[in-house]
Every structure is written in structure tokens, then in C-alpha cells.
Amino acid sequence: MGRKTEMIQTTPCVALLLLVGVAFAARSASAITDGLLPNGNFEEAPDKSQMNGTRVTGRYAIPQWEISGFVEYIGSGQKQGDMLLPVPEGAYAVRLGNEASIQQRLTLTRGMHYSITFSAARTCAQSELLNITITPESGEIPIQTVYTSSGWDSYSWAFKAKHSVVLFIVHNPGVSDDEACGPLIDSFAIKTLNPPQRTKGNMLKNGGFEEGPYIFPNTSWGVLVPPMDEDDYSPLSPWTILSTTKSVKYIDAAHYAVPGGARAVELVSGMETAMLQEVSTVPGRSYRLEFSVGDAGDGCSGSLTVQAYASRGSVKVTYQSQGTGGYKRGLLEFTATEKRTRVVFVSMAYTTKSDGTLCGPVIDDASLVSVRSHRRFLL
Ligand SMILES: *[C@@H]1O[C@H](CO)[C@@H](O)[C@H](O)[C@H]1NC(C)=O
Ligand SMILES: *[C@@H]1O[C@H](CO)[C@@H](O)[C@H](O)[C@H]1NC(C)=O
Ligand SMILES: *[C@@H]1O[C@H](CO)[C@@H](O)[C@H](O)[C@H]1NC(C)=O
């Protein structure tokens, strides 16, 4: 009784403290944390009064998000005709109809680089890309090729924050006859990308691919790094992925066999995709490129061949895969002809797993040294 009175008496003071606390919290909110965006997996549901069947009718009905156009809220077990619509994570996902979009405001640190990871699946095999905007810039992610047997793939997209508050918009630019034929999307996460540093004894940065997009700790299908324009920021910076529509797969040691460290890249798109990094070189000087070629332990068996190019040199490295993990080292010695040299890796064949999905050789731990300085080091 006496205690309660005391509490009531001190309430104004507590309220003031709370207010000050809130003000501080608001100021420090700029540092977004790595992981799921607020309601990024759509598990917080819209109110039934703001839905008509699966269609979301209220603009602000899905907590933390704003929608426009024909947006559906899909629960696991939901069917379209005879087809069961799978949900990759949790119990709910969202479907974007023709020209529909969903958006969220993000508070970032201006000038920093970030990568967004999310999952998407096509439903009627019609939508072939998603338009991603981080104001003021946008880009397109092809979702044409499916790399998993479930139909769900995770994608990554990187950007530099031009402002501290930005709008993140996912838009389906598709115009299909059936409005309900758009892609399903789920599980949006963000990661701050640290600028890759040069490590001692390696002219390549991020040679072990340890810096890359967010991978959900419990998703077992890796994250695709889609092709990009050469001036776009890469989630695997400074490595860029060149292709028209095909991706490479970023994989983690928790779910795959990785030659070194915690991450590696699986070249899943055959000759259609090149992964490259440009380095400063001295014309006339000799260099030695070394790298690991192996398999991800994901059942991708057969002859997996990677071709590496640098300047006028090239080498083919074939690894005989049982699909259970393992690797060998490849070596390319070349003489630079220019001040900038591109180091390029390409898989030389299309390989599929027994379930029919695309797979390929794993590349990891790439290093480049100047042979002259290397010899001096050995002496
Ligand atoms: C729900 O959608 C159906 C089909 O489009 C429509 O006929 C009906 O009027 C809608 N109901 C409400 C309450 O808007
Ligand atoms: C992954 O873990 C998170 C957090 O523990 C959980 O909410 C989510 O349902 C899990 N997802 C999957 C695919 O198991
Ligand atoms: C992508 O979205 C942005 C912003 O919503 C828009 O300005 C742009 O025109 C869109 N691009 C396509 C191809 O729809």
C-alpha cells in the first residue's frame, strides 16, 4: 500500500525520464541493425477488416509496410487452382500483382553501403523481374531462372545510401492477363557492407568472399547475387557479376562445403555469367593468381571446370566432383599488359543436380601476388 503511493508520487519524474530516453533512442535509431527488416517476413498480419479474401485493401494494412495496387497476403497452404503456393519462411508471404508495389521507410547512415536480401518465387511463370528502389535509385532483378526445387530463391541487391532516410520499394512491373500471377515475396533483411580491405600478400580484395550479402542463418539455399551494371555497387564488392539475366550463388559453411572461411561462391549459370575484379598492375610485370575450385557438397557431381582469365593468360581447372565437398587449387601466371587488369572466373559448363536444378563449381580463396615481390619475400 505504502509502496504504491510512493510509485504514484514519482510517476511524473519517471515519465520525464522515459521521454528523455525516447528522444535518445530516436536519435540513435540511425544505425540499422543487420537482419530482418521490421515485419520483413510478414508474420504480423493485416487486420481482417482490411482484406477481401487474400487481397489486402488497406494501404497501411500490413504492419510496417505501405502497399499500392493488387497485393495479396498469402498463408501457407493457400492454393491457386490445383497448385499449392509455398511459403519459404514462417506462415505468410506477399504476392505483388501487375504494377503492384510494397514499400517501407528505412533509416540508414548516409554514405554507407548496404545489401538487401529477400526471397521470391514466380507463380505463373510470367513475372520475370522485380524493380527494387532505394530512393533516389532503382534497379531490376531478374527472377527468371529458378535455382531451387522449391521454386523459392533468395536474392541480394546492394546500394549506397544517398540519404539517411530512404524509401525502399519493391515493384512488380509485370503486366500479365491474370492480375494474381505476380511473384511471391518474403523475408526481407538488410546488412551493412564493410568496405573490403586489402589483406597482406593479396592484391585482390575480398578474395575469400567473406564480405557479402546477408544469409539467413536458417535458410539452406544460399543467396543469389544477380548480374549488375558495371557502375552499380555489388553485394560482393569489389567482385562484380556480369551476365544478362543469370546469377551466381553466395553460399555459407553452415549449409554447404566451403573451401575456406565461412563463405564462397557457386558458379551456377555456366558460361553465361562471369565474376570479375579489376586490380592495378604494372605493365610488363609478372603475377601469380591462385584460387580454389571445388564443389559445394550439394550433390553437384561430375567434371566441374572453371576458366580463369587475366590479361592475355588463361587457365582451365577441372575438379572431379562426387557432390560431397572438396576442392583443389588452380594457378595462373601471367604478365600484365595494362595498368588495370581484370581477373575473371567463368564456369565452363552447365551442370544440374538430380532434382534438375542448376549447380556448378565453387570458387574461393583467390589471391594475386606480383611474382617479383613474391620471390624477394622467399629469399
Ligand atoms: C471483394 O471482392 C469481390 C471480388 O472482386 C467483390 O465482388 C466484392 O465486392 C469485394 N468485397 C468488398 C467488401 O469490397
Ligand atoms: C529462422 O529463424 C527465425 C528466428 O529464429 C524464425 O523466426 C524463422 O521462422 C526461421 N526460418 C526458417 C525458415 O526456419
Ligand atoms: C521502377 O520503380 C521506380 C520507382 O517506383 C520507377 O521510377 C521506375 O520507372 C520503375 N521501373 C520500371 C521498369 O518499372
Side-chain angles (χ1 to χ4, degrees), residues 7-324:
M7 264 184 79
I8 289 163
Q9 279 166 352
T10 58
T11 298
C13 185
V14 170
L16 186 68
L17 277 176
L18 277 175
L19 267 176
V20 172
V22 167
F24 272 122
R27 201 184 296 168
S28 63
S30 61
I32 199 166
T33 49
D34 291 355
L36 207 60
L37 291 180
N39 199 21
N41 55 2
F42 305 114
E43 296 301 301
E44 286 176 61
D47 196 273
K48 283 273 177 289
S49 68
Q50 302 206 62
M51 288 180 66
N52 179 356
T54 54
R55 181 169 184 180
V56 183
T57 51
R59 199 170 177 87
Y60 302 97
I62 303 174
Q64 310 289 345
W65 296 91
E66 180 181 345
I67 64 158
S68 90
F70 188 91
V71 172
E72 286 177 285
Y73 191 67
I74 305 289
S76 57
Q78 182 81 40
K79 284 188 167 179
Q80 175 163 6
D82 290 338
M83 188 178 70
L84 185 71
L85 296 174
V87 167
E89 193 274 317
Y92 296 98
V94 155
R95 175 152 62 178
L96 299 179
N98 288 339
E99 294 290 1
S101 67
I102 183 160
Q103 67 181 61
Q104 183 169 127
R105 194 173 296 275
L106 304 179
T107 305
L108 307 171
T109 304
R110 201 169 141 238
M112 291 289 284
H113 291 96
Y114 296 88
S115 175
I116 298 268
T117 295
F118 66 97
S119 300
R122 292 184 300 159
T123 53
C124 319
Q126 305 224 14
S127 299
E128 293 180 342
L129 54 89
L130 279 171
N131 181 359
I132 307 287
T133 299
I134 299 277
T135 49
E137 284 167 355
S138 46
E140 285 168 1
I141 295 188
I143 57 166
Q144 192 175 350
T145 310
V146 176
Y147 296 90
T148 57
S149 51
S150 72
W152 281 93
D153 280 303
S154 295
Y155 295 84
S156 59
W157 195 71
F159 63 94
K160 181 178 182 174
K162 295 267 166 69
H163 305 287
S164 54
V165 178
V166 298
L167 275 182
F168 166 52
I169 309 165
V170 186
H171 169 224
N172 168 23
V175 191
S176 108
D177 293 342
D178 182 353
E179 207 166 21
C181 260
L184 281 159
I185 52 175
D186 199 4
S187 298
F188 286 86
I190 193 163
K191 184 179 168 203
T192 307
L193 296 175
N194 299 312
Q197 303 296 322
R198 182 153 292 147
T199 53
K200 206 160 167 260
N202 192 355
M203 294 165 63
L204 295 170
K205 289 181 185 173
N206 202 12
F209 307 105
E210 297 300 309
E211 275 295 325
Y214 188 80
I215 301 184
F216 284 99
N218 50 4
T219 57
S220 56
W221 52 80
V223 174
L224 297 174
V225 183
M228 57 201 65
D229 291 337
E230 281 183 71
D231 53 349
D232 285 349
Y233 198 77
S234 165
L236 270 177
S237 178
W239 296 100
T240 53
I241 314 304
L242 293 189
S243 178
T244 48
T245 60
K246 302 288 195 286
S247 305
V248 301
K249 186 175 276 200
Y250 191 51
I251 57 174
D252 61 334
H255 301 96
Y256 293 87
V258 163
R263 303 274 195 263
V265 169
E266 183 176 357
L267 302 173
V268 288
S269 307
M271 283 180 272
E272 277 181 89
T273 307
M275 190 171 61
L276 66 91
Q277 179 173 155
E278 206 173 75
V279 289
S280 295
T281 46
V282 178
R285 189 173 285 184
S286 299
Y287 295 90
R288 175 199 294 262
L289 172 69
E290 289 185 57
F291 51 96
S292 298
V293 175
D295 78 283
D298 56 356
C300 191
S301 54
S303 287
L304 304 179
T305 301
V306 169
Q307 183 141 12
Y309 302 86
S311 191
R312 291 189 188 131
S314 83
V315 67
K316 265 186 196 168
V317 178
T318 298
Y319 173 78
Q320 294 299 337
S321 168
Q322 310 295 317
T324 53

